[in-house]
Amino acid sequence: MNPLLECNALSKRYGSVTALSDINLTLERGKIIGLLGPNGSGKTTLIKLINGLLVPTKGQLLINGTAPGTETKRTVSYLPDKTYLNNWMKVKNLLDFFEDFYDNFDKKRAMICWRSFILIQMTI
């Protein structure tokens, strides 16, 4: 059985800034793991790489033996403390984004929920 998470020589750079450098990490199933470190140590970058929100500069990251993508989103969940969406995005852009992000995303149902949310906000 594959490890839950494997990072092999994983690195991520933002221009000239190195956020992660040659990380090697294997997490087996059935463990509770804490990701600790000071500000700027790469914790959020690693989490975004695991979720497929970022692409590694080099190295390999596998979840259940698979690179981050549609299939791994069934295993990994992420709730950021700040939005990772761009301010310029309109509802249509967000729906397109999530439709690409999740293979079971129902755009029509999301639009119905969005319209209901707007109506509720207008009545408050």
Side-chain angles (χ1 to χ4, degrees), residues 18-98:
T18 301
L20 295 174
S21 179
D22 293 317
I23 301 296
N24 293 301
L25 174 68
T26 301
L27 300 180
E28 300 296 335
R29 298 171 188 286
K31 306 281 184 190
I32 297 174
I33 304 294
L35 186 58
L36 304 173
N39 290 345
S41 63
K43 300 178 303 290
T44 301
T45 297
L46 178 59
I47 290 169
K48 287 181 178 181
L49 286 165
I50 293 168
N51 280 280
L53 295 172
L54 294 175
V55 177
T57 304
K58 74 171 202 166
Q60 182 183 47
L61 187 141
L62 299 173
I63 300 160
N64 289 329
T66 305
T70 305
E71 184 64 32
T72 62
K73 291 186 179 26
R74 296 174 190 201
T75 304
V76 178
S77 299
Y78 174 50
L79 180 61
D81 60 343
K82 298 177 194 167
T83 183
Y84 54 87
L85 303 171
N86 295 311
N87 290 334
W88 59 263
M89 293 178 115
K90 307 265 189 247
V91 172
K92 181 194 180 314
N93 303 120
L94 293 170
L95 293 175
D96 290 343
F97 175 80
F98 285 109

